[in-house]
Amino acid sequence: MKTLIIGSGGREHAIALKLYEENNQNEIFISPGNGGTHQVGTNVSLKTHQEIVDFCKLKNIELVVIGPEQPLVDGLADFLRQNSILVFGPNKNAARIEGDKTFAKNLMKEYNIPTADFKSFSKDEFDEAVKYLQQSNFPIVIKASGLAAGKGVIIAQTFDEAKNAIDEIMNDAIFGEAGNNVVIEEFLEGEELSVFVVTDGEDYVILPPSQDHKRIGEGDTGKNTGGMGAYSPLNFVNAELISEIEQNIIIPTLKGLSDKKSKFNGCLYCGLIRTKDGIKVIEFNCRFGDPEIQVVLQLLDKSFYQLLKTTAEGQTDENAVKYNGGSAICVVAASGGYPDSYKKGYEITGLSENSEEIKIIHAGTILSKNDGKINLLTNGGRVLNIVAVSKCNDLTICKKRAYKVLSKVDFNNIYFRKDIGIKGT
């Protein structure tokens, strides 16, 4: 089996590692990969859609897995399918569920999918947006409609904060073209959860729900990030809640996308919140969440590869994987200064070997050769994911294991939250 994984982050390393552990005869290529992915496959540099197609034909690649949202929104899956290459990931139309929040919110409104009340504004409607804020309750949520690497959401506590946020997004373009349209929506209170739905557009498999820690600071304070940690399973999720999610969210969303000529094939990420009025959608994404997938993959038995491949073929195997009864926690080690400016190129030391209980997942890392010596250096905001696993579903043990390993890891200006998973223990 030959597989090509597109991406360079922790998600892609975690997927590559899972496929390697399931079958180390699976020849895995990662483009571009990072400083850790070479341990389970071969890093290759493929810069254009055509280069990817040419490589797949040259190497007889049997399955392409697209990790990040940007190439999906850019239509890479469409281009691969046009060239008869099997790919896991939605087409450009379906990827709008993440790439265009205005499209997603309007879809939810049309198909009665529970979500926060909202209104969308173009960058030419700044004055109208300000008037809307003057009539709103606070706190309130401001979202750049396009892709902003998980950082385009601002929770404003006051009118002045909200006005400043839309001014920066619309007029100062702090998120570039992603802020050409802005969604303003009510603030929802409750327990958040991430639910990954692997689907061919009709049949689907729900993977074990997880919880992300999006804020940079402990106690869920500070700016939004791409994610500072995650854990699974969640003690408040039961069969009744899963049924509610299926009936009220998954089924109508897949129907709505299909009706809009956007039939979904891949992972539909449902970012949800359990409120006093029931489960509601915070956001949809068109790919596996990072760092949530790093923990979810540790809880799957049988064949994740089979799940990906059958979904790509249009016939999701609903029995391809099963929950193994365990638990896992992921703690992200980041560069000091993230999610704002930070320096990179610092040497990383103190990493342990992977085992059944500990997985070291690389994200923003790179290998550098200097005077004949190969060093592992920081190369991003989120640098490493320390994942700890308990086969007996004990999150307290996971937490202790993760932080014990992390205490030995070192690089200049290392930063990590010390409260990951505390809600679940």
Side-chain angles (χ1 to χ4, degrees):
M1 297 183 292
K2 293 185 177 183
T3 306
L4 171 63
I5 299 170
I6 304 296
S8 63
R11 165 182 47 229
E12 290 75 43
H13 187 191
I15 292 171
L17 178 61
K18 180 67 172 177
L19 299 184
Y20 177 81
E21 288 177 338
E22 286 183 351
N23 180 3
N24 60 16
Q25 298 304 306
N26 187 1
E27 192 172 359
I28 302 167
F29 299 91
I30 311 96
S31 177
N34 59 40
T37 49
H38 72 284
Q39 297 167 352
V40 293
T42 303
N43 291 349
V44 291
S45 179
L46 305 171
K47 300 187 184 304
T48 68
H49 290 188
Q50 188 60 54
E51 285 184 12
I52 293 171
V53 166
D54 292 344
F55 179 85
C56 289
K57 291 181 177 179
L58 177 67
K59 293 291 186 178
N60 296 315
I61 298 296
E62 297 168 65
L63 175 66
V64 178
V65 181
I66 303 174
E69 61 274 18
Q70 191 66 60
L72 292 167
V73 170
D74 289 343
L76 175 57
D78 306 65
F79 193 74
L80 290 170
R81 290 187 178 106
Q82 289 164 11
N83 285 273
S84 303
I85 294 168
L86 193 63
V87 55
F88 178 89
N91 61 35
K92 187 173 184 176
N93 266 358
R96 289 181 296 166
I97 199 76
E98 176 172 5
D100 184 350
K101 291 182 177 61
T102 300
F103 167 81
K105 294 295 284 191
N106 286 335
L107 183 82
M108 287 183 261
K109 184 176 182 179
E110 181 177 348
Y111 285 83
N112 297 311
I113 298 161
T115 188
D117 289 337
F118 74 100
K119 193 167 179 62
S120 299
F121 299 90
S122 70
K123 67 177 182 179
D124 298 325
E125 297 175 312
F126 177 77
D127 291 339
E128 290 88 339
V130 171
K131 289 177 183 176
Y132 181 80
L133 289 173
Q134 289 172 333
Q135 302 166 4
S136 300
N137 296 319
F138 292 86
I140 201 164
V141 182
I142 314 291
K143 294 181 176 180
S145 186
L147 297 180
K151 303 166 196 170
V153 179
I154 298 167
I155 300 173
Q157 301 296 326
T158 66
F159 168 77
D160 287 340
E161 284 184 24
K163 182 181 178 184
N164 182 62
I166 63 170
D167 186 34
E168 289 184 331
I169 296 172
M170 291 175 154
N171 298 325
D172 297 341
I174 60 171
F175 299 124
E177 292 184 0
N180 284 351
N181 290 285
V182 169
V183 175
I184 301 176
E185 62 181 41
E186 70 170 317
F187 177 75
L188 298 176
E189 292 188 77
E191 201 75 47
E192 294 186 24
L193 61 157
S194 301
V195 177
F196 300 154
V197 182
V198 177
T199 177
D200 57 24
E202 296 177 11
D203 296 325
Y204 57 85
V205 172
I206 302 174
L207 302 185
S210 58
Q211 188 171 85
D212 186 14
H213 296 64
K214 292 189 183 299
R215 302 291 196 94
I216 187 66
E218 289 167 16
D220 295 326
T221 57
K223 291 186 176 182
N224 261 19
T225 71
M228 293 303 296
Y231 70 96
S232 183
L234 309 181
N235 54 22
F236 61 87
V237 173
N238 54 30
E240 183 181 354
L241 185 62
I242 293 295
S243 178
E244 181 184 351
I245 292 168
E246 286 189 82
Q247 297 304 315
N248 295 351
I249 295 168
I250 297 172
I251 293 173
T253 300
L254 293 180
K255 181 182 187 307
L257 286 168
S258 185
D259 289 349
K260 302 290 182 186
K261 295 182 171 55
S262 302
K263 187 175 180 180
F264 199 96
N265 181 299
C267 173
L268 179 66
Y269 170 136
C270 304
L272 310 177
I273 185 167
R274 187 183 64 160
T275 74
K276 59 182 177 59
D277 300 317
I279 201 81
K280 294 188 178 186
V281 176
I282 296 175
E283 65 177 357
F284 285 118
N285 292 325
C286 61
R287 38 70 192 181
F288 293 113
D290 180 345
E292 298 102 304
I293 193 61
Q294 284 87 311
V295 294
V296 171
L297 288 176
Q298 312 312 318
L299 309 184
L300 301 181
D301 277 350
K302 299 181 72 175
S303 176
F304 183 59
Y305 177 86
Q306 174 75 0
L307 179 62
L308 298 178
K309 189 169 186 290
T310 57
T311 298
E313 291 169 337
Q315 294 182 314
T316 298
D317 182 350
E318 298 177 51
N319 298 307
V321 297
K322 68 174 183 177
Y323 170 52
N324 62 20
S327 59
I329 280 178
C330 171
V331 183
V332 172
S335 297
Y338 175 80
D340 294 320
S341 61
Y342 55 85
K343 293 182 179 180
K344 52 190 180 180
Y346 297 122
E347 185 176 1
I348 303 167
T349 60
L351 294 184
S352 62
E353 296 291 325
N354 282 342
S355 66
E356 287 190 359
E357 298 176 348
I358 293 292
K359 311 291 182 184
I360 307 297
I361 307 295
H362 291 241
T365 68
I366 190 170
L367 293 174
S368 175
K369 192 172 184 179
N370 188 17
D371 293 332
K373 180 184 178 185
I374 297 177
N375 295 319
L376 182 67
L377 307 179
T378 64
N379 193 46
R382 294 187 295 168
V383 178
L384 293 166
N385 309 148
I386 310 302
V387 181
V389 184
S390 165
K391 288 187 176 181
C392 59
N393 190 10
D394 191 326
L395 283 168
T396 300
I397 289 177
C398 290
K399 195 165 183 286
K400 289 178 179 177
R401 285 173 178 165
Y403 282 106
K404 182 179 179 181
V405 170
L406 191 50
S407 69
K408 300 174 184 177
V409 177
D410 188 43
F411 55 84
N412 199 25
N413 293 331
I414 187 173
Y415 172 79
F416 54 88
R417 281 181 54 169
K418 300 178 179 65
D419 62 346
I420 302 301
I422 197 168
K423 291 181 182 178
T425 56

